Amino acid sequence: MRLHRLYSAFVVVVALAASGCGSSSSSSAGADPAQVIPASSIFYAEAVVRPEGAQKENVDKLLSRFGQGGDVTGKLRAVIDEGLRSEDKNASYDQDIAPWLGQRIGVGVTDVASDDTGYIIAAVVKDAGKAEAFLKSQTKGAKAGSYKDTDYVNDGDTTFGLVGDFLVAAGSPAELKQAVDAQHGVSLGDSDRFKTAIDKLPQERLGAAYVDLKRLPALIAAQPDAGPAAGAIARKLFGSGPPFTAALTATADSATIESRFGAKGLGGLGLLGPLGTTGKSTPLVRDIPEGAFAVFGAAGVGASLKGTLETFAGAFGGAALTGQLEQQTGVNLDRDIFSWLGDVAVFARGTSVRDINGAIVISVTDEGAARAAIPRLVTAAKRSGAPVQGASVAGADQAFSVPVPQAPGPVVLAQKGDRVVVALGEATAAEALNPTKTIDDSGLYGRAKDAIDGVDPSLILDAPPILELIGPYADNEPGYAKAKPYLDMLDLIATGSEKDGDELRSVFTVKVK
């Protein structure tokens, strides 16, 4: 049925926004799809289908760097055209959709508790007459209905109708009626909570997402298999604070996702920051030895891990497990780890699998506690059968190693004052403890910081040496061969976070050459 084809076209049109293939002609720029999304929606996302001005220029320049801008656009249009022409051989995106499609498309999720997720997709319409003609041409034979001032059609799976300035696709007639009610009543776009959160995102954006975390505890508690513990944890993690939001922006040589979420709850426990940390970087990242192609660092890891353990301990028997750990190994988590574990950074370097090396670098908050804990950890490792022995690491106060067959070197645990490292090889351990040259000296750190709007980076991936490393092992793979021209355009990937009031602002950027 044509209605199904129309739904497919709706979905793919959203993808067109990411490629910047919308025309720069005039559109209903002021129309906001959130005006037909119910205020109770837990999730909302929107995309700019027709970027204009600086937005369009940046997207065009970014795609042109890959030499594939027109090709990507053409392929996406072809997908829509294929769906349309299965029912009408003369139909096309340029002829049938572009004349009425406005600047933005929004998607709202109204119900995630039922078996069939409720949704509303709303596309801004710049020419209601052409949109109505297109809708009629694609929905012949569908069941018709009417609600208030809106006519709609439904084929059992999807419902379509013109709601004010929007062409709406909904999961059912009930959801389309919610869109009508939202337009005439209180919509998500009218919600102060929504507006306050969205207004903090960059204004010149290609897309945005919104998740109302406060609604999650009730949804989790309503699940048949959710016990009291799950509800209590959900309330602690999600029950307070602002929503999660994110925005996609582009420059001539980068694409960036900026997100915001509460500094308490998930953020305070470090469960929503980059790669599961509190989000804040650490000075350790700046001091990573030169030549590293992958670096990750996080502040306050010990406190974050302890807080996470305490949150889940009561619900899942964490206290009993830590007691058993001490009884069996002699390691007390509070005394031997949390008492001295501060910031952490991890790096990898090397030009081939044979010489790859790296280390975990830890800042020590209590040198005496670390000095006493390391021998206890070594003893526990020996009890488990690990062949631990003393190691010679230049400048270290104490050092131990475990040989690893076929590895470039042994795993080394070493301490020097307020720094502890776990490294692959004694030389790597010595350099991690006291680097002669750093990624700050080489300029990699500065490039990454500039890429993420001046935020201290917590993750840095230097793409060229990574591709050089994996190339000999992936060149014969057909998928890699196709992707290689695009991968070769990558310069670096960086992410970092900073606190802004009661929120954490995170920036993730992919930069191209």
Side-chain angles (χ1 to χ4, degrees):
M1 183 177 288
R2 292 185 178 188
L3 194 58
H4 175 70
R5 303 296 182 184
L6 179 57
Y7 173 75
S8 299
F10 242 64
V11 172
V12 180
V13 163
V14 176
L16 289 171
S19 72
C21 63
S23 130
S24 60
S25 61
S26 62
S27 62
S28 302
D32 181 3
Q35 293 297 321
V36 291
I37 305 297
S40 60
S41 298
I42 189 172
F43 171 83
Y44 173 75
E46 70 172 39
V48 177
V49 182
R50 292 177 178 273
E52 297 180 339
Q55 281 184 326
K56 186 176 189 304
E57 184 178 346
N58 284 336
V59 172
D60 288 344
K61 287 182 178 179
L62 182 60
L63 290 174
S64 69
R65 288 175 178 269
F66 291 88
Q68 297 291 327
D71 182 55
V72 172
T73 297
K75 288 180 179 179
L76 287 171
R77 289 179 187 268
V79 172
I80 295 178
D81 289 346
E82 182 180 356
L84 295 174
R85 288 172 180 167
S86 65
E87 295 290 344
D88 183 351
K89 65 180 181 179
N90 296 316
S92 70
Y93 171 83
D94 288 334
Q95 174 181 308
D96 297 285
I97 295 180
W100 58 262
L101 182 64
Q103 190 175 20
R104 292 189 284 176
I105 288 182
V107 181
V109 175
T110 60
D111 181 15
V112 295
S114 62
D115 293 337
D116 295 322
T117 301
Y119 66 88
I120 295 171
I121 306 175
V124 176
V125 170
K126 66 175 181 176
D127 189 319
K130 292 179 180 179
E132 184 175 12
F134 173 73
L135 182 59
K136 288 181 178 179
S137 72
Q138 294 295 312
T139 58
K140 294 177 181 178
K143 184 179 179 180
S146 181
Y147 179 69
K148 295 184 178 179
D149 58 350
T150 300
D151 296 329
Y152 63 84
V153 289
N154 172 263
D155 70 347
D157 294 322
T158 312
T159 304
F160 278 85
L162 279 171
V163 182
D165 293 330
F166 308 92
L167 179 56
V168 172
S172 70
E175 269 106 38
L176 186 129
K177 293 175 182 178
Q178 288 184 53
V180 175
D181 289 339
Q183 185 200 28
H184 292 296
V186 179
S187 68
L188 185 65
D190 297 320
S191 163
D192 289 338
R193 180 172 170 82
F194 173 81
K195 289 189 291 187
T196 298
I198 289 293
D199 285 349
K200 293 179 181 179
L201 296 175
Q203 295 302 306
E204 294 297 317
R205 56 182 182 258
L206 296 169
Y210 167 91
V211 183
D212 194 351
L213 300 175
K214 285 181 69 174
R215 300 187 182 277
L216 290 179
L219 291 173
I220 293 173
Q223 298 304 308
D225 55 349
I233 291 174
R235 284 190 295 274
K236 185 168 184 179
L237 297 181
F238 305 109
S240 63
F244 170 83
T245 57
L248 172 66
T249 61
T251 69
D253 63 358
S254 67
T256 296
I257 296 176
E258 177 176 324
S259 63
R260 289 176 174 266
F261 51 88
K264 296 181 180 180
L266 280 177
L269 289 176
L271 300 180
L272 264 184
L275 302 184
T277 75
T278 58
K280 292 181 62 178
S281 186
T282 165
L284 292 175
V285 171
R286 187 188 294 267
D287 292 335
I288 290 300
E290 181 183 24
F293 57 73
V295 182
F296 171 66
V301 172
S304 179
L305 288 175
K306 184 175 181 179
T308 302
L309 180 64
E310 289 174 349
T311 296
F312 290 94
F316 300 103
L321 291 175
T322 55
Q324 291 176 10
L325 176 67
E326 182 174 7
Q327 184 178 13
Q328 295 175 2
T329 66
V331 174
N332 180 285
L333 290 178
D334 278 329
R335 180 194 65 196
D336 297 327
I337 295 179
F338 297 146
S339 66
W340 59 269
L341 181 63
D343 299 353
V344 174
V346 184
F347 72 89
R349 61 182 184 173
T351 58
S352 70
V353 172
R354 289 184 178 181
D355 68 2
I356 196 168
N357 63 80
I360 302 171
V361 185
I362 303 168
S363 66
V364 172
T365 59
D366 186 328
E367 291 184 30
R371 190 176 300 109
I374 288 176
R376 285 193 287 266
L377 296 174
V378 168
T379 298
K382 288 181 177 179
R383 288 178 181 173
S384 68
V388 184
Q389 56 192 26
S392 177
V393 175
D397 299 329
Q398 56 179 330
F400 304 89
S401 67
V402 177
V404 179
Q406 300 181 341
V411 173
V412 177
L413 171 63
Q415 180 193 9
K416 178 184 178 182
D418 63 353
R419 184 167 294 190
V420 168
V421 299
V422 180
L424 190 58
E426 294 177 344
T428 303
E431 193 165 2
L433 286 173
N434 187 27
T436 53
K437 280 192 174 183
T438 67
I439 61 170
D440 193 20
D441 298 325
S442 70
L444 177 61
Y445 183 87
R447 287 167 49 216
K449 185 170 182 175
D450 289 344
I452 55 175
D453 196 28
V455 178
D456 291 331
S458 55
L459 171 69
I460 305 172
L461 299 177
D462 193 9
I466 293 176
L467 295 173
E468 182 179 350
L469 177 67
I470 66 175
Y473 307 95
D475 280 341
N476 294 328
E477 296 293 330
Y480 182 79
K482 291 181 179 179
K484 192 174 186 303
Y486 304 99
L487 294 174
D488 285 342
M489 291 300 301
L490 292 177
D491 180 18
L492 63 82
I493 297 172
T495 186
S497 295
E498 62 183 4
K499 193 171 182 181
D500 182 10
D502 63 346
E503 293 180 323
L504 287 176
R505 171 180 176 253
S506 295
V507 184
F508 173 85
T509 295
V510 178
K511 194 172 183 298
V512 298
K513 299 174 183 176

